[in-house]
């Protein structure tokens, strides 16, 4: 049993890190009722629904028409731009983690089919950056944006206005990064056989396809509307799946859910420790930008937003830091953790290679934007 646990932690690096952080936090603040109540159960429930329903998408080949469309793109630059900017734009409306859950598996499928797997990691890192930077424009583009938007009371118009310079610059930088990746041959071709995607939908599974599409729409409405009835939606989705396709519940990525739970436990423990709260009260105001970036490297940006918000004087600086923190490390953004998890499931044992290339590419992007954003953060709400 011990050998199996050790093997699991070696395979699931992020789970090991998050579990260690959660255990340490128990000594900082003993667990209690307040700790359980402060954990972001809504995010965990939403992630559970998305992971499960999108497993159903894969099982029923619901993305088959999209794969057929993208298979007609003939250059690597064109295909990469399609996926990167699909993530960039959709993340504004369905959140950054959802856009990655949708497009990362499709990217892997297409690059495999075209024999271009050597480009998969850098392209997935570009998509990761696209998710982080595309989602920052809207109040509901990421969990931390949604949390701070609801707490601050600023208007949606002002929110978008303050975030738009970062969004525009990021869109331009991403294109430059794509050009650099294919600098040796900007017209490098990719050939994908039509036979790879010539299978047809099974008529007998039409009802299941409709069910999964309807559930996905329901989940997106739940996210965007910020309904307080999210728990009932979660129970409804689970019940429908249990009745009509119970096997899909066995394929949900519970390791990822446990990783998120551990990070939320750690951040909640930090929030409820009086000494740490007093320290943050005296340190954060006036330094929100750097605090949000650095703290996110320990507990990720969503928990960091919960910890830092009560001590913030400059919302712009806090948002700019949180929406950039995911460029520094995998832990910096929960969306990055999801991306790594999807890749490691497809390529077991190659997580370290992904993390290495992630750090190089993302840190270069971060180095370009970090100082200009600091100066721009004086533009307060």
């Amino acid at each position: 049993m011990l050998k199996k646990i050790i093997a699991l932690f070696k395979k699931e690096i992020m789970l090991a890190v998050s579990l260690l952080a959660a255990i340490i936090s128990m000594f900082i603040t003993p667990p209690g009722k307040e700790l359980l109540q402060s954990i972001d159960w809504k995010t965990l429930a939403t992630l559970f629904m998305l992971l499960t329903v999108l497993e159903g998408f894969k099982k029923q080949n619901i993305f088959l028409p999209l794969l057929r469309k993208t298979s007609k793109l003939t250059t690597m630059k064109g295909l990469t731009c399609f996926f990167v900017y699909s993530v960039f734009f959709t993340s504004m409306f369905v959140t950054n983690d959802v856009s990655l859950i949708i497009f990362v598996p499709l990217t892997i499928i297409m690059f495999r089919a075209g024999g271009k797997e050597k480009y998969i990691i850098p392209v997935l890192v570009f998509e990761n950056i696209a998710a982080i930077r595309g989602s920052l424009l809207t109040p509901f583009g990421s969990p931390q944006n949604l949390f701070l938007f609801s707490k601050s009371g600023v208007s949606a118009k002002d929110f978008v206005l303050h975030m738009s310079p970062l969004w525009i610059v990021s869109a331009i930088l991403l294109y430059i990064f794509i050009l650099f990746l294919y600098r040796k041959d900007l017209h490098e071709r990719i050939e994908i056989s039509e036979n790879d995607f010539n299978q047809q939908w099974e008529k007998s599974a039409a009802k299941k396809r409709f069910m999964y599409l309807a559930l996905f729409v329901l989940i997106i409405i739940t996210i965007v509307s910020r309904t307080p009835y999210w728990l009932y939606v979660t129970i409804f989705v689970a019940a429908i799946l249990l009745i009509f396709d119970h096997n899909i519940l066995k394929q949900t990525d519970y390791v990822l859910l446990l990783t998120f739970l551990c990070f939320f436990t750690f951040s909640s423990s930090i929030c409820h420790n009086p000494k740490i709260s007093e320290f943050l009260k005296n340190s954060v105001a006036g330094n929100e930008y750097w605090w949000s970036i650095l703290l996110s490297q320990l507990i990720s940006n969503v928990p960091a937003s919960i910890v830092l918000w009560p001590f913030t004087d400059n919302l712009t600086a806090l948002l700019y830091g949180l929406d950039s923190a995911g460029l520094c490390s995998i832990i910096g953004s929960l969306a990055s953790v999801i991306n790594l998890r999807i890749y490691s499931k497809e390529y077991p044992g190659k997580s370290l290679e992904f993390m290495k290339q992630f750090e190089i590419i993302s840190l270069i992007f971060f180095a370009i934007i970090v100082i200009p954003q600091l100066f721009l953060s004086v533009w307060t709400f």
Side-chain angles (χ1 to χ4, degrees):
M1 178 64 71
L2 182 61
K3 288 183 178 180
K4 289 182 178 180
I5 294 173
I6 293 172
L8 174 65
F9 286 144
K10 283 184 177 179
K11 180 182 177 183
E12 307 293 349
I13 297 172
M14 292 306 301
L15 174 61
V17 171
S18 64
L19 183 59
L20 179 62
I23 293 171
I24 291 172
S25 72
M26 297 299 178
F27 294 96
I28 297 173
T29 306
K33 186 178 180 180
E34 286 187 356
L35 176 64
L36 288 173
Q37 290 176 340
S38 62
I39 290 174
D40 192 351
W41 298 109
K42 181 179 179 180
T43 296
L44 289 171
T46 303
L47 185 58
F48 162 76
M49 290 189 288
L50 283 169
L51 290 171
T52 307
V53 168
L54 288 171
E55 280 295 329
F57 271 44
K58 288 194 288 184
K59 182 179 177 181
Q60 300 300 331
N61 276 328
I62 289 176
F63 288 121
L64 187 59
L66 180 60
L67 291 172
R68 285 174 178 160
K69 291 284 185 181
T70 54
S71 68
K72 295 178 181 179
L73 295 170
T74 57
T75 66
M76 289 302 299
K77 187 183 76 171
L79 187 62
T80 301
C81 283
F82 171 80
F83 280 119
V84 169
Y85 285 102
S86 291
V87 172
F88 187 80
F89 290 111
T90 59
S91 66
M92 295 186 292
F93 305 104
V94 299
T95 75
N96 49 22
D97 46 4
V98 177
S99 63
L100 288 173
I101 291 172
I102 293 172
F103 287 103
V104 167
L106 298 181
T107 303
I108 293 173
I109 290 171
M110 295 303 297
F111 278 55
R112 276 178 175 169
K116 300 292 184 177
E117 287 185 277
K118 65 180 180 179
Y119 292 117
I120 283 181
I121 294 181
V123 172
L124 293 190
V125 176
F126 292 167
E127 290 181 12
N128 203 95
I129 296 171
I132 293 170
R133 305 300 286 182
S135 64
L136 61 77
L137 183 67
T138 61
F140 43 79
S142 65
Q144 70 271 13
N145 278 16
L146 186 56
F147 171 77
L148 293 172
F149 175 71
S150 61
K151 288 289 185 181
S152 64
V154 301
S155 69
K157 179 182 177 182
D158 282 344
F159 190 100
V160 172
L161 183 64
H162 277 73
M163 305 305 286
S164 57
L166 280 61
W167 185 81
I168 293 169
V169 169
S170 297
I172 297 169
L173 278 176
L174 277 167
Y175 187 67
I176 294 171
F177 273 52
I178 293 170
L179 292 180
F180 184 80
L181 178 64
Y182 300 115
R183 62 193 180 280
K184 292 182 179 179
D185 183 5
L186 290 176
H187 303 288
E188 181 176 346
R189 298 186 66 79
I190 179 171
E191 295 181 5
I192 301 174
S193 172
E194 292 183 5
N195 294 328
D196 292 326
F197 305 107
N198 65 357
Q199 64 265 45
Q200 300 296 318
W201 276 340
E202 295 180 15
K203 292 183 178 180
S204 58
K207 290 182 179 179
K208 282 190 176 181
R209 287 194 296 273
F210 177 80
M211 176 190 73
Y212 279 114
L213 285 168
L215 289 177
F216 182 72
V217 171
L218 175 62
I219 296 167
I220 296 303
I221 292 173
T222 302
I223 293 170
V224 175
S225 67
R226 293 181 275 181
T227 175
Y229 303 111
W230 57 268
L231 179 59
Y232 298 106
V233 175
T234 305
I235 294 171
F236 174 77
V237 170
I240 291 295
L241 294 174
L242 188 62
I243 295 169
F244 295 103
D245 196 2
H246 65 275
N247 286 325
I248 206 70
L249 292 169
K250 299 176 183 178
Q251 299 173 32
T252 302
D253 193 347
Y254 295 107
V255 169
L256 181 59
L257 290 171
L258 182 58
T259 301
F260 273 47
L261 176 60
C262 290
F263 276 129
F264 286 140
T265 301
F266 180 80
S267 64
S268 297
S269 295
I270 294 295
C271 285
H272 287 86
N273 184 277
K275 291 183 178 179
I276 294 176
S277 294
E278 183 63 26
F279 171 73
L280 292 173
K281 183 178 180 180
N282 297 326
S283 305
V284 173
N287 300 294
E288 292 90 348
Y289 186 65
W290 297 116
W291 262 103
S292 57
I293 292 172
L294 294 174
L295 186 60
S296 295
Q297 308 317 307
L298 297 176
I299 62 175
S300 191
N301 55 6
V302 178
S305 67
I306 299 170
V307 172
L308 296 176
W309 162 248
F311 315 104
T312 296
D313 287 338
N314 186 342
L315 177 61
T316 304
L318 183 64
L319 281 166
Y320 284 8
L322 291 169
D323 288 332
S324 306
L327 301 173
C328 297
S329 72
I330 293 286
I331 295 177
S333 170
L334 294 179
S336 304
V337 177
I338 291 173
N339 200 359
L340 172 62
R341 178 64 185 160
I342 296 172
Y343 176 82
S344 60
K345 283 185 71 176
E346 294 292 332
Y347 296 93
K350 293 188 176 182
S351 297
L352 289 177
E353 178 60 27
F354 181 94
M355 293 171 72
K356 178 183 175 182
Q357 292 198 41
F358 175 94
E359 291 300 332
I360 294 172
I361 297 170
S362 291
L363 281 174
I364 292 172
F365 196 100
F366 178 76
I368 295 171
I369 55 93
V370 62
I371 299 302
Q373 284 185 178
L374 175 62
F375 288 116
L376 188 61
S377 67
V378 299
W379 181 26
T380 58
F381 283 93

